[in-house]
Amino acid sequence: MIAMTPVLERGYTWWDRSLFPRDEFEERTRMVQKAMAEAGLDALVIWSQSYHTTGQLAYLSGWPMGGAVLVRREGEPTMFSPGGGREQYFARMQTWVEDMRSVPGRLGAVIAKTLAEDGVPGGRLGIVGYDQMSVGAYAEVVESLSGYDRVDFAETYAAVLAPKRPREVLAVRNSLTIAAHAVEAGVAAWEAGASNAEALVEAERIARIERARDFRGLVNSKGTELRPFERVSEARHDQLLLWIAIDQHGYWAESANGVAGTAATKAVDAMVATARVGATAGAVAEAALAVLPEAARDSALSYGLGAGVGLSLDEAPVIEPGNDALLVEGSLLSLKTYAKGASASIATATVKVGAEGATRIVPN
């Protein structure tokens, strides 16, 4: 189909039923319904943007795009896809949800009508995704669902999603493998004489070949500053700093060409050593800053020290000084450091948090 879209909206997209069979989503739905019952909710609406989603909707639907999911206290959810039905056939092949409906507009009104038809004309309605709504969408939801006691359920929902299930850990490892291969390809191209920008292009080429759905990359195409691809450039610097993040099946991972013994690697190692159940995100950040040269701390904080990872590259908790959020058993963290200085360096690590410490997730 020829569409009036001048950019690549997504890469390879499919539902791997061997990785995520139907019963995986059924079990997730039961977990969420249990949390709903404990909170006294009559129904739950999970809202997401059209493309760059937070992963909240995908957790239950498997659909790594936008729309809304209506979860009842019992039974299977209903998914509402924004826009017309042009992509309905494609979307239906990506999700286990059988009740999928295209909604061109006024999604709040459609949800209210569906709830009324289900015999739930009022009551406590949980909402996840207020932060994803446009001003117009928020106003329409408030108007259409005014007959319900609306409860912001985001914090409780995030607590359900924080510990990663075994198949989720495997999905992140698979994404990490693609990201690592992309970094290796970029480094090999640079070592063979490619420019820094060309190394980033080669990294994306390999990531797409290996079925990355989405791709993000930074490279030092101008001195030591990390930048996304902006234009073809023949500039080849004395050093290559390459950071790659990819998503497959909605699950993200990041990798970089870290070198042992550098300031960035030492900082990441310090964070890994500090991360454990009960530690705060702020303490993990302070561990990195404590081993970094003073000149490198600003760049490390500017580019970020990491966060939770899974269906989003920046899940809670954000690793930053002063964050008192406690690390949760079974959660995954993606830690990173970009240390600027006389000799710039970059490093990453993906870890699973446990009571005895953090376990590194390594590529397949």
Side-chain angles (χ1 to χ4, degrees), residues 84-323:
R86 185 180 70 171
E87 290 196 347
Q88 271 273 331
Y89 179 77
F90 171 76
R92 286 183 182 278
M93 294 190 294
Q94 313 303 319
T95 177
W96 73 287
V97 179
E98 296 180 2
D99 186 5
M100 177 186 289
R101 311 177 189 184
S102 289
V103 182
R106 292 191 60 80
L107 185 50
V110 174
I111 292 172
K113 182 175 182 293
T114 303
L115 285 169
E117 292 171 348
D118 288 345
V120 189
R124 283 172 59 82
L125 177 64
I127 303 287
V128 173
Y130 274 128
D131 59 335
Q132 298 293 298
M133 298 178 186
S134 66
V135 173
Y138 176 81
E140 195 271 325
V141 164
V142 170
E143 175 189 354
S144 298
L145 299 173
S146 60
Y148 296 85
D149 177 16
R150 298 183 308 280
V151 179
D152 190 340
F153 201 62
E155 186 174 339
T156 303
Y157 188 69
V160 174
L161 273 59
K164 296 299 181 279
R165 295 167 58 82
R167 290 186 177 112
E168 292 185 280
V169 176
L170 178 56
V172 170
R173 178 179 281 114
N174 290 345
S175 293
L176 180 61
T177 300
I178 298 173
H181 289 173
V183 169
E184 291 169 2
V187 170
W190 182 79
E191 290 177 344
S195 70
N196 288 47
E198 289 168 342
L200 179 57
V201 172
E202 176 63 10
E204 179 168 4
R205 187 181 75 86
I206 294 302
R208 297 293 188 182
I209 287 174
E210 295 196 12
R211 299 180 176 180
R213 191 189 75 91
D214 206 348
F215 174 94
R216 299 176 191 174
L218 297 174
V219 70
N220 60 323
S221 55
K222 293 184 178 180
T224 58
E225 292 292 339
L226 299 182
R227 305 172 70 93
F229 181 82
E230 298 170 310
R231 61 183 63 86
V232 176
S233 170
E234 296 182 359
R236 189 176 187 282
H237 304 293
D238 294 335
Q239 184 181 20
L240 176 71
L241 300 170
L242 185 60
W243 172 88
I244 301 297
I246 75 98
D247 124 60
Q248 188 182 63
H249 302 307
Y251 283 86
W252 285 89
E254 60 184 330
S255 184
N257 62 325
V259 177
T262 61
T265 300
K266 291 177 181 178
V268 168
D269 289 345
M271 289 192 285
V272 173
T274 305
R276 66 185 62 246
V277 174
T280 66
V284 176
E286 292 294 348
L289 297 178
V291 301
L292 281 173
E294 186 173 352
R297 293 171 189 168
D298 285 346
S299 64
L301 291 173
S302 176
Y303 282 86
L305 294 169
V309 69
L311 283 163
S312 173
L313 194 55
D314 52 1
E315 292 184 357
V318 176
I319 306 302
E320 60 185 356
N323 188 346

Side-chain angles (χ1 to χ4, degrees), residues 4-88:
M4 296 296 289
T5 305
V7 296
L8 178 65
E9 288 192 345
R10 56 174 172 256
Y12 200 96
T13 306
W14 85 105
W15 175 15
D16 185 345
R17 288 166 174 79
S18 63
L19 177 61
F20 292 123
R22 179 187 176 94
D23 61 14
E24 171 71 19
F25 297 106
E26 291 174 336
E27 179 61 22
R28 294 182 188 184
T29 300
R30 286 192 290 269
M31 290 168 54
V32 172
Q33 288 171 332
K34 182 177 182 291
M36 291 168 55
E38 292 172 350
L41 299 184
D42 296 290
L44 171 66
V45 174
I46 303 168
W47 190 285
S48 181
Q49 291 185 29
S50 295
Y51 178 56
H52 292 293
T53 72
T54 61
Q56 295 166 326
L57 182 146
Y59 182 76
L60 288 185
S61 68
W63 173 240
M65 299 290 283
V69 166
L70 171 63
V71 186
R72 302 162 179 86
R73 292 191 64 164
E74 294 182 352
E76 297 180 3
T78 295
M79 191 165 80
F80 302 94
S81 176
R86 185 180 70 171
E87 290 196 347
Q88 271 273 331

